[in-house]
């Protein structure tokens, strides 16, 4: 039976990073996440525009499906990226892996801002878009799990939930920044500003962001846990193979651990502007604004729940996330589909609280499942498989289910189905908040 009891003498058995190193880890780890999910936020927010510029069709549903299919394509290669960067991070160090991941994501995001449209290049335009999404997905395969590893391994004892919640915070604020830039161009420019070249601006901003991020990561050091492992000569030679052989149970847990959160994130956040515009009839400006307010609340609540998890444990909060998600998905989508800006806004707040019950303790709980020797590789493969299956397909499945079933409540059914195995995993996992990180 899982326990939440605090084991004795944790401080004597765990490596003790300093507060200074944890702050540097938050910045170094968070900057790449910010850029990665900035792009995801921009792409999802611009989906109505991208669908018309790259996938012109007489059917709005067909254009939207094509746009989100390309969005999902980036997730297909994420497990390969996770395998590559996981091996690199566990063998050569977290710093090396994260530096290369940042270079790839910045270059691919910049490239999207330079793409010709379908009107200018024909089928070459969506083909190039797919290629860049594949490159982004490959880099994302190492970015999320790498930054999670860096933050958790640099966190002082008893503060891993608090420190690692900044990793999710950077994901949310990156997505938020993307939506804000799109919202500003939509509301401050002319009605046609986005389609007349304004859509390029958010992608081109990745160049200065990437340069700043690379400078920060180039100056970072590897984590105390990894350095100790390297000095002891115990770095794994084939970490991915060893993880599959020795960490199968933890990897299985990690796969379903993130199933529901992936669906929730990519439907409640990135898909919401499209849903509110296409299904609830809101203007793009109002749809973006409602989403922005929700994400601000989400970011703040994430930091709060991370701190709470250091005191009460990860399991109680994660269990609440899955259970409440299951019972509230339909009421939330009922509110969002009402056709009112205020109803959409009200629906966002409970949805974001539910999501924060994962994003606060989630990163710490996930990384604590694995030992330092295999942490990057062991976490990367199941997490990225789960992201590909449940996250990358979420907007596409939501759009397709609505068209097939004829109801705007359809996305809630998919989320409720995923909540069941995720809840079972949370109920069965052991409490790790009060244990020292395992190095071997």
């Amino acid at each position: 039976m899982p326990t939440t009891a605090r084991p004795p003498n944790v401080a004597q058995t765990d490596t003790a990073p300093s507060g200074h190193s944890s702050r540097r880890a938050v910045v170094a780890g968070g900057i790449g996440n910010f850029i990665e999910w900035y792009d995801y936020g921009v792409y999802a927010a611009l989906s109505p525009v991208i669908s018309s510029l790259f996938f012109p069709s007489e059917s709005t549903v067909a254009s939207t499906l094509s746009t989100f299919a390309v969005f999902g394509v980036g997730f297909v290669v994420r497990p390969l990226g996770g395998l590559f960067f996981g091996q690199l991070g566990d063998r050569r160090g977290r710093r090396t892996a994260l530096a290369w991941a940042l270079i790839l994501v910045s270059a691919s995001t910049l490239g999207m801002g330079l793409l010709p449209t379908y009107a200018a290049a024909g089928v070459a335009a969506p083909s190039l878009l797919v290629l860049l999404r594949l490159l982004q997905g490959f880099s994302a395969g190492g970015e999320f799990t790498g930054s999670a590893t860096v933050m958790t391994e640099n966190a002082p004892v008893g503060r891993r939930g608090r420190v690692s919640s900044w990793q999710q915070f950077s994901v949310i604020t990156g997505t938020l920044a993307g939506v804000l830039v799109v919202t500003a161009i939509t509301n401050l420019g002319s009605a046609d500003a986005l389609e007349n070249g304004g859509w390029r601006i958010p992608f081109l901003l990745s160049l200065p962001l990437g340069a700043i991020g690379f400078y920060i990561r180039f100056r970072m050091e590897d984590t105390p846990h990894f350095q100790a492992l390297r000095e002891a000569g115990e770095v794994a030679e084939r970490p991915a193979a060893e993880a599959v052989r020795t960490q199968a149970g933890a990897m299985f847990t990690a796969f379903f651990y993130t199933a529901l959160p992936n669906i929730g994130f990519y439907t409640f956040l990135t898909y919401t502007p499209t849903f509110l515009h296409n299904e609830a009839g809101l203007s793009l400006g109002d749809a973006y604004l409602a989403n922005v307010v929700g994400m601000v609340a989400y970011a703040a609540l994430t930091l709060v729940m991370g701190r709470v998890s250091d005191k009460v444990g990860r399991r109680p909060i994660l269990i609440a996330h899955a259970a409440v998600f299951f019972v509230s998905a339909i009421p939330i989508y009922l509110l969002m589909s009402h056709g009112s800006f205020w109803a959409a806004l009200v629906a966002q707040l409970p949805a974001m609280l539910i999501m924060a019950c994962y994003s606060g303790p989630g990163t710490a709980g996930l990384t604590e499942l694995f030992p330092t020797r295999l942490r990057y590789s062991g976490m990367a493969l199941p997490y990225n498989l789960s992201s590909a299956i449940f996250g990358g397909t979420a907007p596409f499945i939501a759009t397709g289910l609505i068209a097939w079933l004829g109801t705007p409540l359809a996305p809630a059914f998919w989320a409720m189905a995923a909540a069941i195995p995720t809840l079972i995993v949370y109920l069965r996992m052991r409490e790790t908040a009060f244990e020292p990180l395992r190095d071997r």
Side-chain angles (χ1 to χ4, degrees):
M1 188 74 174
T3 178
T4 59
R6 184 188 300 269
N9 300 324
V10 168
Q12 283 73 32
T13 60
D14 199 11
T15 303
S18 67
H20 177 68
S21 68
S22 66
R23 287 190 292 272
R24 293 188 66 178
V26 165
V27 176
I31 187 68
N33 265 319
F34 182 91
I35 297 171
E36 186 80 53
W37 271 264
Y38 166 81
D39 166 68
Y40 278 66
V42 167
Y43 188 94
L46 284 175
S47 60
V49 178
I50 291 174
S51 63
S52 64
L53 292 176
F54 287 86
F55 306 98
S57 171
E58 294 182 0
S59 169
T60 301
V61 173
S63 295
T64 303
L65 283 172
S66 297
T67 303
F68 283 130
V70 174
F71 179 83
V73 159
F75 286 80
V76 173
V77 295
R78 282 183 67 161
L80 295 177
L83 184 63
F84 173 80
F85 286 106
Q87 289 271 108
L88 187 62
D90 278 336
R91 293 183 63 190
R92 304 298 181 189
R94 287 49 167 136
R95 174 188 177 217
T96 301
L98 285 176
W100 278 107
L102 182 59
I103 291 172
L104 286 180
V105 70
S106 300
S108 55
T109 304
L110 174 65
M112 290 185 70
L114 301 174
L115 283 177
T117 63
Y118 187 91
V123 294
S127 299
L128 289 170
L129 182 62
V130 169
L131 181 62
L132 290 174
R133 285 293 302 154
L134 287 172
L135 187 58
Q136 287 174 335
F138 187 82
S139 64
E143 177 60 51
F144 185 95
T145 49
S147 62
T149 298
V150 165
M151 290 189 191
T152 304
E153 290 181 357
N154 272 293
V157 176
R159 297 179 64 185
R160 292 197 299 265
R162 176 180 180 178
V163 171
S164 63
S165 67
W166 284 94
Q167 194 256 11
Q168 289 282 344
F169 181 87
S170 67
V171 170
I172 301 163
T173 52
T175 307
L176 173 60
V179 175
L180 279 175
V181 171
V182 174
T183 302
I185 296 172
T186 303
N187 291 335
L188 299 179
S190 65
D192 299 323
L194 283 177
E195 293 193 9
N196 292 331
W199 65 273
R200 299 183 183 276
I201 297 173
F203 293 113
L204 297 178
L205 288 175
S206 67
L207 181 60
L209 289 174
I212 295 170
F214 181 77
Y215 174 77
I216 293 172
R217 284 193 171 172
F218 184 76
R219 292 170 56 86
M220 71 179 282
E221 297 179 351
D222 266 312
T223 70
H225 286 268
F226 183 80
Q227 289 185 47
L229 202 67
R230 182 162 52 194
E231 290 169 3
E234 297 187 6
V235 173
E237 285 297 318
R238 301 178 62 192
E242 186 178 335
V244 171
R245 188 175 67 253
T246 64
Q247 304 295 317
M251 294 175 77
F252 179 83
T253 296
F255 177 79
F256 286 107
Y257 183 103
T258 54
L260 176 62
N262 270 308
I263 290 177
F265 185 90
Y266 290 105
T267 52
F268 278 163
L269 270 78
T270 56
Y271 175 67
T272 292
T274 300
F275 179 89
L276 293 176
H277 179 62
N278 291 348
E279 306 302 327
L282 270 64
S283 68
L284 279 176
D286 282 349
Y288 292 147
L289 182 58
N291 201 32
V292 164
V293 173
M295 280 193 283
V296 169
Y298 185 25
L301 289 168
T302 292
L303 298 181
V304 172
M305 299 311 295
R307 292 191 178 203
V308 172
S309 76
D310 282 332
K311 299 183 180 301
V312 305
R314 322 287 185 225
R315 288 184 67 253
I317 304 175
L318 292 171
I319 290 169
H321 161 71
V324 178
F325 204 129
F326 182 87
V327 300
S328 63
I330 290 177
I332 287 173
Y333 270 96
L334 273 173
L335 270 175
M336 288 204 301
S337 61
H338 188 266
S340 160
F341 168 78
W342 293 106
L345 195 62
V346 169
Q348 288 280 287
L349 299 180
M352 295 306 103
L353 176 58
I354 295 167
M355 288 300 298
C357 286
Y358 167 80
S359 59
T363 297
L366 184 62
T367 53
E368 288 163 353
L369 293 174
F370 300 93
T372 301
R373 176 180 168 91
L374 306 169
R375 183 166 292 123
Y376 206 146
S377 298
M379 182 168 50
L381 187 58
Y383 170 79
N384 284 297
L385 279 172
S386 183
S387 295
I389 294 171
F390 298 106
T393 60
F396 182 87
I397 289 176
T399 303
L401 283 177
I402 290 171
W404 180 41
L405 298 177
T407 171
L409 301 182
F413 305 151
W414 177 226
M416 292 169 69
I420 297 172
T422 300
L423 177 59
I424 292 172
V425 162
Y426 293 160
L427 288 169
R428 292 178 59 85
M429 66 183 287
R430 78 178 194 277
E431 181 59 73
T432 56
F434 311 120
E435 300 177 358
L437 283 180
R438 293 181 296 132
D439 284 335
R440 300 163 185 84

